[in-house]
């Protein structure tokens, strides 16, 4: 594949290096002159100096070839939003992946249809939440383009679902149980699967039905 990586910081440089080692063709775009010179020593002609929010820079990078994927991984959310939107709307790039530095800006990416985003802060908080869950529900994955999310819940001894079969649970039509993990061993959740105390249950649902799932499983 041909990929454009916008942003030559540690994230961009490491991603570009990994992609190159996998055999992909990459152009790494960096705006700061001093950083560009350092990258040029490491990567050679793969690195392009310029501001990836500017159309002529993206065109010099070969976005018209067209690029298969554009990764906007600068340290500025506004720049990443502009780059991803230019790639998708201006040049029809099949996939634009954007880094979100401040999770409070996620809604702006969502509103503008940038569904493929990565936020290290949210990821770390998700790991913390997984270890110390609140209200019994942990969000594992957001499928923004599909309008779905994947969550995990742990079943306590006094949970209303404890001892019941999946088929007997009162679940909303927009909620589906995916798997049940017990003692480190997972199985696909089917109608006859019995939920026991201590089980970790993974479900897929439409956003907004978390409380309905919580009531059905943990009370």
């Amino acid at each position: 594949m041909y990929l454009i990586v916008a942003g030559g910081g540690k994230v961009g440089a490491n991603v570009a290096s990994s992609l190159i080692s996998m055999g992909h063709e990459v152009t790494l775009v960096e705006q700061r002159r001093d950083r560009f010179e350092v990258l040029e020593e490491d990567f050679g002609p793969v690195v392009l100096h310029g501001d990836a929010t500017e159309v002529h820079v993206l065109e010099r990078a070969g976005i018209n070839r067209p690029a298969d994927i554009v990764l906007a991984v600068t340290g500025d959310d506004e720049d990443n939003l502009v780059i991803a939107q230019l790639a998708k709307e201006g040049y029809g790039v099949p996939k634009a992946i954007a880094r979100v530095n401040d999770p409070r800006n996620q809604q702006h990416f969502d509103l503008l249809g940038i569904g493929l985003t990565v936020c290290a802060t949210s990821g770390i908080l998700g790991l913390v939440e997984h270890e110390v869950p609140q209200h019994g529900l942990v969000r594992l994955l957001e499928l923004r383009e599909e309008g779905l999310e994947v969550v995990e819940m742990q079943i306590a001894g006094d949970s209303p679902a404890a001892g019941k079969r999946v088929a007997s649970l009162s679940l909303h039509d927009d909620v589906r149980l995916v798997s049940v993990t017990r003692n480190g061993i997972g199985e696909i959740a089917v109608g006859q699967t019995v939920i026991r105390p201590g089980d970790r249950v993974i479900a897929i649902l439409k956003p907004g039905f978390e409380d309905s799932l919580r009531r059905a499983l943990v009370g």
Side-chain angles (χ1 to χ4, degrees):
M1 292 192 298
Y2 178 57
L3 303 94
I4 296 174
V5 179
K10 289 184 178 180
V11 173
N14 288 332
V15 168
S17 179
S18 296
L19 290 170
I20 292 169
S21 68
M22 293 165 62
H24 298 297
E25 186 180 358
V26 175
T27 294
L28 176 59
V29 184
E30 171 55 39
Q31 181 177 11
R32 286 173 45 198
R33 168 62 69 175
D34 58 339
R35 180 61 180 165
F36 163 75
E37 291 174 352
V38 171
L39 291 169
E40 191 176 33
E41 291 182 5
D42 294 334
F43 290 90
V46 165
V47 189
L48 173 68
H49 179 244
D51 182 351
T53 64
E54 297 181 0
V55 169
H56 72 93
V57 173
L58 288 175
E59 291 183 348
R60 283 173 54 211
I63 199 169
N64 280 321
R65 293 181 51 175
D68 296 294
I69 301 177
V70 169
L71 295 93
V73 292
T74 77
D76 187 293
D77 286 349
E78 185 176 349
D79 284 354
N80 291 339
L81 184 58
V82 170
I83 295 164
Q85 194 171 27
L86 277 173
K88 288 192 66 177
E89 303 297 332
Y91 294 94
V93 174
K95 291 190 181 297
I97 302 172
R99 174 186 179 188
V100 181
N101 298 280
D102 186 341
R104 292 173 296 183
N105 292 330
Q106 181 65 59
Q107 60 181 330
H108 302 305
F109 289 82
D110 294 340
L111 287 171
L112 291 175
I114 310 301
L116 297 175
T117 58
V118 178
C119 180
T121 303
S122 295
I124 292 170
L125 289 174
L127 290 173
V128 172
E129 186 182 39
H130 186 274
E131 297 303 320
V132 190
Q134 291 185 341
H135 312 300
L137 185 147
V138 178
R139 288 176 175 82
L140 300 178
L141 178 66
E142 287 185 78
L143 303 171
R144 297 184 189 89
E145 292 187 348
E146 294 81 0
L148 297 168
E149 63 182 8
V150 179
V151 303
E152 181 184 69
M153 307 188 79
Q154 182 155 10
I155 307 301
D158 58 352
S159 297
K164 292 185 178 179
R165 298 183 186 275
V166 170
S168 68
L169 299 175
S170 298
L171 298 174
H172 193 276
D173 289 343
D174 290 317
V175 177
R176 291 287 186 277
L177 300 192
V178 176
S179 68
V180 175
T181 299
R182 183 178 305 140
N183 299 323
I185 301 174
E187 63 175 282
I188 302 298
V190 297
Q192 297 305 307
T193 301
V194 178
I195 298 176
R196 306 290 187 190
D199 287 354
R200 287 187 176 273
V201 178
I202 293 179
I204 187 166
L205 66 155
K206 289 188 176 180
F209 290 96
E210 296 88 353
D211 287 340
S212 173
L213 176 63
R214 187 183 290 112
R215 286 193 297 271
L217 293 189
V218 300

